[in-house]
Amino acid sequence: MTFTRLIAAISIVALAPATCAAADFRTVGPQPAIFYDGPSHKAPKLYVAPQGMPVEVVLRYREWVKVRDFYGDAAWTEATALVPRRSVVVRFDGVGVYAGDDTATELLMVADRGVVLELVDREIATWVKVRHKDGITGYVKATDLWGI
């Protein structure tokens, strides 16, 4: 093996954990969560996140987590404010929620950008099973959702 190939192989192995790491999505628990500018109650408060809001955990520091929301904004909150139950956000206007995992099945509802849906089945495929707060359960194309 040449030196160049050896360096390339080492680089691939070194980068593999970073590229293979799955995103860590969580949901704001049963109480609204205060989002701060830093990992402290003394940091400026940015906003209050509603119950059920999905976020991506990007960093952990003691009992605090830095999260990113659907809009790409980052903030800090206490880790205990989040639950592992998963919610997702509709990425576009006019996204169909269907009775099955095919557009040929019955259209149950149309969701617009920003609508929060509960992830019913954690297995992510081309279609994802979701539930609206009104109780409608159906399938949405995974590419139409943020948080998976």
Side-chain angles (χ1 to χ4, degrees), residues 33-141:
I34 300 172
F35 281 21
Y36 297 87
D37 194 32
S40 167
H41 291 286
K42 294 179 182 176
K45 294 177 184 176
L46 298 176
Y47 62 95
V48 177
Q51 181 272 332
M53 179 178 144
V55 293
E56 179 185 9
V57 175
V58 295
L59 184 66
R60 294 178 185 278
Y61 177 71
R62 297 185 182 162
E63 66 273 2
W64 292 86
V65 290
K66 186 173 188 177
V67 298
R68 183 181 1 243
D69 65 14
F70 167 66
Y71 300 101
D73 296 329
W76 290 87
T77 191
E78 294 177 278
T80 56
L82 306 179
V83 296
R85 188 186 87 235
R86 296 278 302 276
S87 294
V88 292
V89 178
V90 176
R91 296 175 62 202
F92 313 105
D93 285 335
V95 170
V97 179
Y98 294 89
D101 58 357
D102 189 330
T103 56
T105 62
E106 178 187 2
L107 178 64
L108 302 175
M109 70 176 273
V110 175
D112 285 329
R113 184 177 194 264
V115 170
V116 175
L117 302 168
E118 180 184 350
L119 190 62
V120 174
D121 187 353
R122 287 182 173 247
E123 185 173 324
I124 306 303
T126 304
W127 289 83
V128 180
K129 190 171 186 179
V130 295
R131 180 179 306 117
H132 186 265
K133 66 181 179 181
D134 291 342
I136 297 170
T137 301
Y139 292 84
V140 176
K141 289 181 185 177

